[in-house]
Amino acid sequence: MKLRTKIAGTVALPLALAIASAASAATIVDTDAHRLQIGGFVAAQAYWEMPDAGEMNYGMDLGSSRLGINYTNKTNAGDITYMYEQTVGGRLRHAAILHDGWVAGQSWSFFANLNGLGETLDANGNAITSSWASRNPLLGKNINLGDGMSVGVALEERGTNSGNAVVSGATNASPLPDLTANFKGNFGGVGIFAAAQMYQVNDPTDAKASEGKVRMTASASLPLGDTMGVKAAFTADPDRYSAFSASAQMKMSDQLRTNLVVEQVMDDGAAGDDYMQLWVNAIHKTASGWEWGAEVHMVMGDGTVIAPTAGGAGTKDGDMTFRLQAKYAF
């Protein structure tokens, strides 16, 4: 299998996480009848790509700058929240309705493993492999089990090798949506997440047939006192890849935090190119709310193109990227 490295379109966790895309969203109006929140952040990121072979490349972009609006209608039947968020480049992130555990629209996939994400300035990080975190159209239900636990089930559309894709002039024989189920729990501060997703791919030998696949992901997050936390995540997608990551965050002070993320990816496809990635960064938050960050990203692998960089080029064994970022959330 060839490893797919692009970030998917997007998906669903508890309501609090779904709305927390802009964690510092400002409450504009909050009455007994409704609540309006607006938030997001603006970032500027400069990067220097230093390939093991070839010349250095410099670039600059707006990172994942975004704007989000959440409106909650407080009714006798419970709160109904309408959520919309997009990047400054116009890419849709969220457009969903949430009510009584239901999620309808585009939001975090029920397969999204946000619990295992390490913090990186790299917009990809381990979110496209070991701790998959994407957004896509879905209809799902989160069910609260009490004691910090919940389960979720959803019908989804990943838009990748699924649905009624046209192949050689014929459509995929399967009308099945992607079916996802997950479990979330918090046990004494330890976060646990596990999910499985069944999806359809076209049969390469028959344009009118399809084949079902099941991929799985899981993670654990563990706080170590007030200043440190560690995470581990794993994702396995049959005939494509398996990936594992471990990350740690250390809060040096109220203003300064550092992150280390290490990931190993095992390509199960025809190429079979395994590789490891390493991210190390430091992020300083000023009293005014500005965040300044610096990061080094290194790749060690079998030498083939393995992951896209900010500039769109493929990273290979021995390549390194240095990033600087300024960010302000509102």
Side-chain angles (χ1 to χ4, degrees):
M1 128 219 147
K2 294 301 290 181
L3 176 66
R4 308 298 199 272
T5 50
K6 74 172 184 178
I7 292 183
T10 21
V11 238
L13 301 178
L15 173 60
L17 275 180
I19 294 179
S21 254
S24 61
T27 299
I28 307 302
V29 177
D30 192 359
T31 70
D32 292 339
H34 53 251
R35 179 173 60 248
L36 176 64
Q37 296 174 295
I38 299 177
F41 64 81
V42 176
Q45 185 175 114
Y47 55 87
W48 291 261
E49 296 166 349
M50 295 165 275
D52 186 51
E55 298 182 356
M56 180 185 300
N57 176 54
Y58 165 75
M60 193 169 187
D61 57 35
L62 297 179
S64 53
S65 301
R66 65 195 64 163
L67 175 65
I69 300 174
N70 300 311
Y71 172 74
T72 299
N73 184 20
K74 302 176 183 181
T75 73
N76 293 332
D79 291 355
I80 303 174
T81 296
Y82 309 85
M83 177 173 58
Y84 182 86
E85 184 182 71
Q86 71 175 44
T87 67
V88 294
R91 181 171 62 88
L92 178 66
R93 290 176 56 84
H94 298 275
I97 301 174
L98 305 98
H99 173 65
D100 191 29
W102 287 98
V103 183
Q106 168 143 320
S107 188
W108 286 112
S109 166
F110 277 48
F111 192 78
N113 193 346
L114 301 187
N115 183 64
L117 282 179
E119 184 178 19
T120 63
L121 302 186
D122 178 8
N124 289 344
N126 64 337
I128 59 174
T129 39
S130 59
S131 192
W132 187 273
S134 60
R135 296 167 301 276
N136 50 240
L138 60 90
L139 173 62
K141 170 74 169 178
N142 288 301
I143 303 170
N144 187 358
L145 302 179
D147 297 325
M149 297 181 292
S150 68
V151 295
V153 291
L155 305 180
E156 305 191 19
E157 172 54 78
R158 292 172 58 197
T160 304
N161 290 336
S162 61
N164 296 318
V166 175
V167 179
S168 302
T171 58
N172 189 319
S174 174
L176 289 175
D178 302 320
L179 305 176
T180 310
N182 68 31
F183 170 83
K184 297 179 285 290
N186 189 292
F187 306 95
V190 178
I192 300 295
F193 178 81
Q197 184 176 73
M198 184 181 75
Y199 63 97
Q200 300 290 315
V201 298
N202 294 315
D203 187 333
T205 64
D206 186 347
K208 296 184 179 181
S210 63
E211 178 183 2
K213 301 281 188 179
V214 177
R215 61 175 184 159
M216 297 168 289
T217 188
S219 66
S221 59
L222 174 66
L224 300 177
D226 296 330
T227 60
M228 188 172 180
V230 294
K231 298 180 178 182
F234 175 78
T235 295
D237 200 342
D239 302 326
R240 297 187 66 223
Y241 74 94
S242 298
F244 172 80
S245 65
S247 62
Q249 181 179 92
M250 173 70 76
K251 294 182 180 179
M252 311 302 291
S253 68
D254 290 340
Q255 292 77 38
L256 179 64
R257 64 187 186 273
T258 61
N259 295 277
L260 170 67
V261 182
V262 180
E263 179 179 66
Q264 176 69 43
V265 179
M266 290 75 72
D267 190 330
D268 299 329
D273 298 319
D274 300 343
Y275 65 93
M276 178 181 289
Q277 297 191 86
L278 170 70
W279 296 264
V280 181
N281 63 51
I283 301 171
H284 179 261
K285 186 172 184 177
T286 67
S288 64
W290 277 93
E291 283 193 348
W292 301 88
E295 177 175 89
V296 173
H297 173 204
M298 300 180 65
V299 177
M300 297 143 281
D302 294 337
T304 57
V305 174
I306 57 176
T309 61
T315 54
K316 302 180 181 180
D317 177 47
D319 288 1
M320 183 170 68
T321 302
F322 178 68
R323 298 180 178 89
L324 289 176
Q325 178 175 278
K327 173 182 172 181
Y328 185 80
F330 54 90

